[in-house]
Amino acid sequence: MLEDLIRAWDGEEVAVHFDHPSGTWMFICIHSTRRGPAGGGTRMKTYPTPADGLADAMRLSGAMTLKMAATDIPFGGAKAVLAVPALPEDDERRRLLLRYGELAASLGGNFQTGPDVNTTIYDMDVIGERHAHVFCRSEANGGSGDPGPFTARGVFHGIRASAAHALGSPDLAGRVVLVQGVGDVGARLAEQLAAAGARVLVSDIDAERARTLADRIGAEVVAPEDALGLECDVYAPCALGGTLNAETIPSLRCRIVAGCANNQLAGAEDADRLAVAGILYAPDYVINAGGVVHAWGVEALGWDLATVETRLAGIGDSLAEIYTRADAAGITTEAAAEQLARSRLS
Ligand code: NAD
């Protein structure tokens, strides 16, 4: 129930709006403004019930607080969910986004948003017609554009840092890396890995996409159903969340899990399962922060691209610190990441 969720939540503010023309529930969750205005994407999705949409927004906004803190940029965490009856298109979509923009604007500068699942930089252009604090609008419209290339760059640095810790060297030449999902982020990551001399295996449910990329960068295609059991140095989940669970972890034959997908662990106990299996896990919200670093850095902090690149490399440094903390305290890397983020919040 919505009331129970709101009463139990540890965040600061929830805006709930039912949009009659479209039948959409809009939830904006501001989890924390302790480190600055709260930033987080706007997700558009169908949910079994409105409460599932609210629960998703609450959980994701808490993760944004940790992401901003772990990345050490001066913002808090938020997230918005548009729980739609069906994904709208064309004029219907535009009108919905404008009405959502008005709701977002009513919260002022404390709520800053960008793209997320099922929303694009062009949707940000529309929301930006009503709300002043929208990131990743199209470049033609004065925004910082697609965050994907910067997310990929951060993951690349994160993989190097993970290799340094688990394999003794950040050098990826000759290392075998499996990239699962070669969309906006995964394809760019695979390209950088290949350029660094890694043997790259790519897997995608879109076989044509995987084959075209593999031909271009000299990678090998593996069937999606075979991907997880392959022997490799690094498994980079870049498709969906939840691929690390009680069923899959025993079949993994990698030394490192480091990729961009959100919510890679199906449950908290899966961090322990990975540690017991001797697999180094790069906490997802740390390694996939590059898009946020770029958008918020350029648009809110006035960074140039050289500063952005330094901060993307810093994702590797943050991971190195997390791994050292985890080893020293005998805790999982997931727990160490949360500890680091919370130390920056207090
Ligand atoms: P995308 O939709 O462009 O790419 C996802 C790819 O995964 C597609 O090619 C799709 O066909 C493939 N795929 C889906 N299911 C698969 C499966 N079972 N096996 C293999 N391939 C599968 O998405 P993206 O923007 O590249 O993001 C990828 C992941 O990273 C998502 O979980 C997203 O939430 C997360 N993420 C993205 C960004 C960003 O800047 N785009 C930032 C942080 C996190």
Side-chain angles (χ1 to χ4, degrees):
M1 291 293 101
L2 298 184
E3 305 93 290
D4 297 335
L5 284 170
I6 292 169
R7 196 176 289 119
W9 193 45
D10 67 344
E12 292 177 11
E13 189 175 356
V14 183
V16 179
H17 177 77
F18 182 69
D19 181 60
H20 281 279
S22 66
T24 298
W25 283 91
M26 300 181 179
F27 301 110
I28 300 178
C29 294
I30 296 181
H31 181 259
S32 170
T33 53
R34 187 175 283 221
R35 287 174 53 86
T42 295
R43 177 167 293 200
M44 190 189 285
K45 209 170 159 241
T46 57
Y47 290 89
T49 69
D52 290 309
L54 175 59
D56 208 19
M58 288 176 161
R59 183 178 55 81
L60 292 163
S61 68
M64 283 308 299
T65 298
L66 295 178
K67 176 180 289 207
M68 296 293 198
T71 320
D72 204 11
I73 55 176
F75 299 97
K79 204 81 176 188
V81 159
L82 304 181
V84 288
L87 291 178
E89 287 177 13
D90 305 325
D91 263 11
E92 195 193 330
R93 185 178 185 96
R94 177 177 162 76
R95 287 195 297 270
L96 171 66
L97 292 172
L98 288 174
R99 292 191 296 272
Y100 164 65
E102 281 162 18
L103 175 68
S106 73
L107 299 172
N110 257 356
F111 174 62
Q112 311 188 330
T113 197
D116 197 83
V117 172
N118 292 328
T119 58
T120 67
I121 59 175
Y122 304 107
D123 292 330
M124 296 307 115
D125 287 348
V126 177
I127 298 166
E129 291 179 34
R130 294 288 185 272
H131 184 38
H133 305 276
V134 176
F135 292 71
C136 305
R137 284 170 300 131
S138 65
E139 285 167 293
N141 208 15
S144 61
D146 181 9
F150 303 94
T151 303
R153 188 72 187 151
V155 174
F156 177 74
H157 285 299
I159 289 177
R160 278 176 51 84
S162 305
H165 190 82
L167 310 173
S169 164
D171 187 1
L172 298 176
R175 297 293 183 197
V176 182
V177 186
L178 165 68
V179 182
Q180 181 189 41
V182 286
D184 194 22
V185 180
R188 290 181 167 93
L189 172 64
E191 197 168 350
Q192 290 173 57
L193 292 166
R199 186 180 148 215
V200 183
L201 312 176
V202 296
S203 160
D204 201 294
I205 48 169
D206 183 336
E208 176 71 25
R209 182 178 290 176
R211 170 50 54 206
T212 307
L213 175 72
D215 288 348
R216 184 162 62 79
I217 66 171
E220 296 159 51
V221 177
V222 295
E225 60 277 15
D226 299 335
L228 280 186
L230 283 178
E231 188 157 353
C232 56
D233 294 299
V234 184
Y235 159 44
C238 297
L240 308 169
T243 61
L244 304 170
N245 55 50
E247 205 178 304
T248 58
I249 291 170
S251 66
L252 293 179
R253 291 162 71 208
C254 58
R255 299 282 305 280
I256 295 165
V257 175
C260 72
N262 278 315
N263 307 319
Q264 291 171 30
L265 302 172
E269 62 287 355
D270 294 311
D272 297 304
R273 289 196 177 99
L274 286 167
V276 168
I279 296 171
L280 182 68
Y281 170 64
D284 48 15
Y285 63 85
V286 180
I287 195 170
N288 72 13
V292 167
V293 166
H294 173 256
W296 266 256
V298 168
E299 296 195 41
L301 302 173
W303 291 350
D304 59 15
L305 283 181
T307 308
V308 170
E309 174 58 22
T310 305
R311 298 300 295 245
L312 294 177
I315 288 176
D317 300 335
S318 294
L319 285 171
E321 183 178 346
I322 286 163
Y323 298 153
T324 305
R325 276 176 178 246
D327 285 351
I331 56 178
T332 65
T333 54
E334 180 76 355
E338 191 166 336
Q339 230 180 50
L340 174 68
R342 292 204 184 283
S343 72
R344 291 182 178 152
L345 280 166
S346 58

Coordinates of all heavy atoms in Angstrom, one line a residue, residues 89-147:
E89 N 3.2 7.0 -27.2 CA 4.0 7.4 -28.3 C 3.5 8.8 -28.8 O 2.4 9.2 -28.5 CB 3.9 6.4 -29.5 CG 4.7 5.1 -29.1 CD 4.6 4.1 -30.2 OE1 4.1 4.4 -31.3 OE2 4.9 2.9 -30.0
D90 N 4.4 9.4 -29.6 CA 4.0 10.6 -30.4 C 3.4 11.7 -29.5 O 3.9 12.0 -28.4 CB 3.1 10.3 -31.5 CG 3.8 9.2 -32.4 OD1 5.0 9.2 -32.6 OD2 3.0 8.3 -32.9
D91 N 2.3 12.2 -29.9 CA 1.7 13.4 -29.2 C 1.2 13.0 -27.8 O 1.3 13.8 -26.9 CB 0.4 13.8 -30.0 CG 0.8 15.0 -30.8 OD1 2.0 15.3 -31.0 OD2 -0.2 15.6 -31.4
E92 N 0.7 11.8 -27.6 CA 0.3 11.3 -26.3 C 1.5 11.4 -25.3 O 1.4 11.8 -24.2 CB -0.2 9.9 -26.5 CG -1.1 9.4 -25.3 CD -1.3 7.9 -25.5 OE1 -1.3 7.4 -26.6 OE2 -1.4 7.2 -24.4
R93 N 2.6 10.9 -25.9 CA 3.9 10.9 -25.0 C 4.3 12.3 -24.7 O 4.6 12.6 -23.5 CB 5.0 10.2 -25.8 CG 6.3 10.0 -25.0 CD 7.3 9.2 -25.9 NE 8.5 8.9 -25.1 CZ 8.7 7.7 -24.5 NH1 7.8 6.8 -24.6 NH2 9.8 7.5 -23.9
R94 N 4.3 13.1 -25.7 CA 4.7 14.5 -25.5 C 3.8 15.2 -24.4 O 4.3 15.9 -23.5 CB 4.6 15.3 -26.8 CG 5.0 16.8 -26.6 CD 5.0 17.5 -28.0 NE 4.9 18.9 -27.7 CZ 6.0 19.7 -27.2 NH1 7.1 19.1 -27.0 NH2 5.8 20.9 -26.9
R95 N 2.5 15.0 -24.5 CA 1.6 15.7 -23.6 C 1.9 15.2 -22.1 O 1.9 15.9 -21.2 CB 0.2 15.5 -24.0 CG -0.2 16.4 -25.2 CD -1.7 16.5 -25.4 NE -2.3 15.2 -25.6 CZ -2.5 14.6 -26.9 NH1 -2.1 15.3 -27.9 NH2 -3.0 13.4 -27.0
L96 N 2.1 13.8 -22.0 CA 2.3 13.2 -20.7 C 3.6 13.8 -20.1 O 3.7 14.2 -19.0 CB 2.5 11.7 -20.9 CG 3.0 11.0 -19.6 CD1 1.9 11.1 -18.5 CD2 3.3 9.5 -19.9
L97 N 4.7 13.9 -21.0 CA 5.9 14.4 -20.5 C 5.8 15.9 -20.0 O 6.5 16.3 -19.1 CB 7.0 14.2 -21.5 CG 7.4 12.8 -21.8 CD1 8.3 12.7 -23.0 CD2 8.1 12.1 -20.6
L98 N 5.0 16.7 -20.8 CA 4.9 18.1 -20.4 C 4.1 18.2 -19.0 O 4.5 19.0 -18.2 CB 4.1 18.8 -21.4 CG 4.8 19.1 -22.8 CD1 3.9 19.7 -23.8 CD2 6.0 20.0 -22.5
R99 N 3.1 17.3 -18.8 CA 2.4 17.4 -17.5 C 3.4 16.9 -16.4 O 3.4 17.4 -15.3 CB 1.2 16.5 -17.6 CG 0.1 17.0 -18.5 CD -1.2 16.3 -18.3 NE -1.2 14.9 -18.7 CZ -1.4 14.4 -19.9 NH1 -1.7 15.2 -20.9 NH2 -1.4 13.1 -20.2
Y100 N 4.2 15.9 -16.7 CA 5.2 15.4 -15.7 C 6.2 16.6 -15.4 O 6.6 16.8 -14.3 CB 5.9 14.2 -16.2 CG 7.2 13.9 -15.5 CD1 7.1 13.6 -14.1 CD2 8.4 14.0 -16.1 CE1 8.3 13.3 -13.4 CE2 9.6 13.7 -15.4 CZ 9.5 13.4 -14.1 OH 10.7 13.2 -13.4
G101 N 6.6 17.3 -16.5 CA 7.5 18.4 -16.3 C 7.0 19.4 -15.3 O 7.7 20.0 -14.5
E102 N 5.6 19.6 -15.4 CA 5.0 20.6 -14.5 C 5.1 20.1 -13.0 O 5.4 20.9 -12.1 CB 3.6 20.9 -14.9 CG 3.5 21.9 -16.1 CD 2.2 21.9 -16.8 OE1 1.2 21.4 -16.2 OE2 2.2 22.3 -18.0
L103 N 4.9 18.8 -12.9 CA 5.0 18.3 -11.5 C 6.4 18.4 -11.0 O 6.7 18.9 -9.9 CB 4.6 16.8 -11.5 CG 4.8 16.1 -10.2 CD1 3.8 16.6 -9.1 CD2 4.6 14.5 -10.4
A104 N 7.4 18.1 -11.9 CA 8.8 18.2 -11.5 C 9.2 19.6 -11.1 O 9.9 19.9 -10.1 CB 9.7 17.6 -12.6
A105 N 8.7 20.6 -12.0 CA 9.0 22.0 -11.7 C 8.4 22.4 -10.4 O 9.0 23.3 -9.7 CB 8.4 22.8 -12.9
S106 N 7.3 21.8 -9.9 CA 6.7 22.3 -8.7 C 7.7 22.0 -7.5 O 7.5 22.5 -6.4 CB 5.4 21.6 -8.4 OG 5.5 20.2 -8.1
L107 N 8.7 21.1 -7.7 CA 9.6 20.7 -6.6 C 10.9 21.6 -6.7 O 11.7 21.6 -5.8 CB 10.0 19.3 -6.7 CG 8.9 18.3 -6.6 CD1 9.4 16.8 -6.9 CD2 8.3 18.3 -5.2
G108 N 11.0 22.4 -7.8 CA 12.1 23.4 -7.9 C 13.4 22.6 -8.1 O 13.4 21.5 -8.6
G109 N 14.5 23.4 -7.8 CA 15.8 22.9 -8.1 C 16.3 21.7 -7.2 O 17.3 21.1 -7.5
N110 N 15.5 21.3 -6.2 CA 15.9 20.2 -5.4 C 15.7 18.9 -6.1 O 16.3 17.9 -5.7 CB 15.0 20.1 -4.1 CG 15.8 20.6 -2.9 OD1 17.0 21.0 -3.1 ND2 15.2 20.7 -1.8
F111 N 15.0 18.9 -7.2 CA 14.8 17.7 -8.0 C 15.4 17.9 -9.4 O 14.9 18.7 -10.2 CB 13.3 17.2 -8.1 CG 13.1 16.1 -9.0 CD1 13.7 14.8 -8.8 CD2 12.4 16.2 -10.2 CE1 13.6 13.8 -9.6 CE2 12.2 15.1 -11.0 CZ 12.8 13.9 -10.8
Q112 N 16.4 17.1 -9.7 CA 17.1 17.3 -11.0 C 17.0 15.9 -11.7 O 17.3 14.9 -11.1 CB 18.6 17.6 -10.8 CG 18.7 18.8 -9.9 CD 20.2 19.3 -9.8 OE1 21.1 18.5 -10.0 NE2 20.3 20.6 -9.5
T113 N 16.6 15.9 -13.0 CA 16.4 14.6 -13.6 C 17.1 14.4 -14.9 O 17.6 15.4 -15.5 CB 14.9 14.3 -13.7 OG1 14.8 12.9 -13.9 CG2 14.2 15.0 -14.8
G114 N 17.1 13.2 -15.4 CA 17.8 12.8 -16.6 C 17.1 11.5 -17.2 O 16.1 11.1 -16.6
P115 N 17.6 10.9 -18.2 CA 17.0 9.8 -18.8 C 17.2 8.5 -18.0 O 18.2 8.4 -17.2 CB 17.6 9.6 -20.2 CG 18.9 10.5 -20.2 CD 18.8 11.4 -19.0
D116 N 16.3 7.5 -18.1 CA 16.5 6.2 -17.5 C 15.7 5.2 -18.4 O 15.5 5.5 -19.6 CB 15.9 6.3 -16.1 CG 16.3 5.2 -15.2 OD1 17.4 5.2 -14.6 OD2 15.6 4.2 -15.1
V117 N 15.4 4.1 -17.8 CA 14.7 3.1 -18.6 C 13.5 3.7 -19.4 O 12.7 4.3 -18.8 CB 14.3 1.9 -17.7 CG1 13.4 0.9 -18.5 CG2 15.5 1.2 -17.1
N118 N 13.5 3.5 -20.7 CA 12.4 3.9 -21.6 C 12.2 5.4 -21.7 O 11.2 5.9 -22.1 CB 11.0 3.3 -21.1 CG 11.0 1.8 -21.4 OD1 11.6 1.3 -22.3 ND2 10.3 1.1 -20.5
T119 N 13.2 6.2 -21.3 CA 13.2 7.6 -21.6 C 14.5 8.0 -22.3 O 15.5 7.5 -21.9 CB 12.9 8.5 -20.4 OG1 14.0 8.3 -19.4 CG2 11.6 8.3 -19.7
T120 N 14.4 9.0 -23.2 CA 15.6 9.3 -24.0 C 16.0 10.8 -23.8 O 15.3 11.5 -23.1 CB 15.2 9.1 -25.5 OG1 14.2 10.1 -25.8 CG2 14.6 7.8 -25.8
I121 N 17.1 11.1 -24.5 CA 17.5 12.5 -24.4 C 16.4 13.4 -25.1 O 16.3 14.6 -24.7 CB 18.9 12.7 -25.1 CG1 18.9 12.3 -26.5 CG2 20.0 11.9 -24.3 CD1 20.3 12.6 -27.2
Y122 N 15.7 12.9 -26.0 CA 14.6 13.7 -26.6 C 13.4 13.9 -25.7 O 12.8 15.0 -25.7 CB 14.2 13.1 -28.0 CG 15.5 12.9 -28.9 CD1 16.0 11.7 -29.1 CD2 16.1 14.0 -29.4 CE1 17.2 11.5 -29.8 CE2 17.3 13.9 -30.1 CZ 17.8 12.6 -30.3 OH 19.0 12.5 -31.0
D123 N 13.2 12.9 -24.9 CA 12.2 13.1 -23.9 C 12.6 14.2 -22.9 O 11.8 14.9 -22.4 CB 11.9 11.8 -23.1 CG 11.3 10.7 -24.0 OD1 10.5 11.1 -24.9 OD2 11.5 9.5 -23.7
M124 N 13.9 14.2 -22.6 CA 14.4 15.3 -21.7 C 14.2 16.6 -22.3 O 13.9 17.6 -21.6 CB 15.9 15.0 -21.4 CG 16.2 13.7 -20.6 SD 15.3 13.6 -19.1 CE 14.3 12.1 -19.5
D125 N 14.3 16.7 -23.6 CA 14.1 18.0 -24.3 C 12.7 18.5 -24.0 O 12.4 19.7 -23.7 CB 14.2 17.9 -25.8 CG 15.7 17.8 -26.3 OD1 16.6 18.0 -25.4 OD2 15.9 17.4 -27.4
V126 N 11.7 17.5 -24.0 CA 10.3 17.9 -23.8 C 10.1 18.3 -22.3 O 9.5 19.3 -22.0 CB 9.4 16.7 -24.2 CG1 7.9 17.1 -23.9 CG2 9.6 16.4 -25.6
I127 N 10.6 17.4 -21.4 CA 10.4 17.7 -20.0 C 11.0 19.1 -19.6 O 10.5 19.9 -18.9 CB 11.0 16.6 -19.1 CG1 10.3 15.3 -19.4 CG2 11.0 17.0 -17.6 CD1 11.1 14.1 -18.8
G128 N 12.2 19.4 -20.3 CA 12.9 20.6 -20.1 C 12.1 21.9 -20.5 O 12.4 23.0 -20.2
E129 N 11.0 21.7 -21.3 CA 10.2 22.8 -21.6 C 9.4 23.3 -20.4 O 8.9 24.4 -20.4 CB 9.2 22.4 -22.8 CG 9.9 22.2 -24.1 CD 8.9 21.8 -25.2 OE1 7.7 22.2 -25.1 OE2 9.2 20.9 -26.0
R130 N 9.3 22.4 -19.4 CA 8.5 22.8 -18.2 C 9.4 22.9 -17.0 O 9.1 23.6 -16.0 CB 7.4 21.8 -18.0 CG 6.4 21.8 -19.0 CD 5.5 23.0 -19.0 NE 4.4 23.0 -19.9 CZ 4.4 23.4 -21.2 NH1 5.6 23.9 -21.6 NH2 3.4 23.3 -22.0
H131 N 10.5 22.1 -16.9 CA 11.3 22.0 -15.7 C 12.7 22.4 -16.0 O 13.3 22.0 -17.0 CB 11.3 20.5 -15.2 CG 12.0 20.3 -13.9 ND1 12.0 21.2 -12.8 CD2 12.8 19.2 -13.5 CE1 12.7 20.7 -11.9 NE2 13.2 19.5 -12.2
A132 N 13.2 23.3 -15.2 CA 14.5 24.0 -15.5 C 15.7 23.0 -15.2 O 16.8 23.2 -15.7 CB 14.7 25.3 -14.8
H133 N 15.5 22.0 -14.4 CA 16.6 21.2 -13.9 C 16.6 19.8 -14.6 O 16.4 18.8 -13.9 CB 16.5 21.1 -12.4 CG 16.5 22.5 -11.8 ND1 17.6 23.2 -11.6 CD2 15.5 23.3 -11.5 CE1 17.3 24.4 -11.1 NE2 16.0 24.5 -11.0
V134 N 16.8 19.8 -15.9 CA 16.8 18.5 -16.7 C 18.1 18.4 -17.3 O 18.6 19.3 -18.0 CB 15.7 18.5 -17.7 CG1 15.7 17.3 -18.6 CG2 14.3 18.6 -17.1
F135 N 18.7 17.2 -17.1 CA 20.1 16.9 -17.6 C 20.0 16.0 -18.8 O 19.0 15.3 -19.0 CB 20.9 16.3 -16.5 CG 21.3 17.2 -15.4 CD1 20.3 17.6 -14.6 CD2 22.5 17.8 -15.3 CE1 20.6 18.6 -13.6 CE2 22.8 18.7 -14.3 CZ 21.9 19.1 -13.4
C136 N 21.1 15.9 -19.7 CA 21.1 15.0 -20.8 C 20.0 15.3 -21.9 O 19.6 14.4 -22.5 CB 21.0 13.6 -20.4 SG 22.2 13.0 -19.2
R137 N 19.7 16.6 -22.0 CA 18.9 17.0 -23.2 C 19.8 16.8 -24.4 O 21.0 16.7 -24.3 CB 18.4 18.4 -23.0 CG 17.2 18.6 -22.0 CD 16.9 20.1 -21.8 NE 18.1 20.7 -21.2 CZ 18.6 21.9 -21.6 NH1 18.1 22.5 -22.6 NH2 19.7 22.4 -21.0
S138 N 19.2 16.8 -25.6 CA 20.0 16.6 -26.8 C 21.0 17.8 -26.9 O 20.7 18.9 -26.4 CB 19.1 16.5 -28.0 OG 18.4 17.8 -28.2
E139 N 22.1 17.5 -27.6 CA 23.1 18.5 -27.7 C 22.5 19.7 -28.6 O 22.8 20.8 -28.3 CB 24.4 17.9 -28.3 CG 25.1 17.1 -27.3 CD 26.2 16.3 -27.9 OE1 25.9 15.3 -28.6 OE2 27.4 16.5 -27.6
A140 N 21.7 19.3 -29.6 CA 21.1 20.3 -30.4 C 20.3 21.3 -29.6 O 20.0 22.4 -30.0 CB 20.2 19.7 -31.5
N141 N 19.8 20.8 -28.5 CA 18.9 21.6 -27.6 C 19.7 22.2 -26.4 O 19.1 22.6 -25.4 CB 17.8 20.7 -27.1 CG 16.5 21.5 -26.8 OD1 16.4 22.6 -27.2 ND2 15.6 20.9 -26.1
G142 N 21.0 22.1 -26.5 CA 21.8 22.7 -25.4 C 22.2 21.8 -24.2 O 22.8 22.2 -23.2
G143 N 21.8 20.5 -24.4 CA 22.1 19.6 -23.3 C 23.5 18.9 -23.5 O 24.2 19.1 -24.4
S144 N 23.8 17.9 -22.6 CA 25.0 17.2 -22.7 C 24.9 15.9 -23.5 O 25.8 15.2 -23.6 CB 25.6 16.9 -21.3 OG 24.7 16.1 -20.5
G145 N 23.6 15.6 -23.9 CA 23.4 14.5 -24.8 C 23.5 13.1 -24.1 O 23.3 13.0 -22.9
D146 N 23.8 12.1 -25.0 CA 23.7 10.7 -24.5 C 24.8 10.4 -23.5 O 26.0 10.6 -23.7 CB 24.0 9.8 -25.8 CG 24.0 8.4 -25.5 OD1 23.6 8.0 -24.4 OD2 24.3 7.6 -26.4
P147 N 24.4 9.9 -22.3 CA 25.4 9.6 -21.3 C 26.1 8.3 -21.5 O 27.2 8.0 -20.9 CB 24.5 9.5 -20.0 CG 23.2 9.1 -20.5 CD 23.0 9.7 -21.8

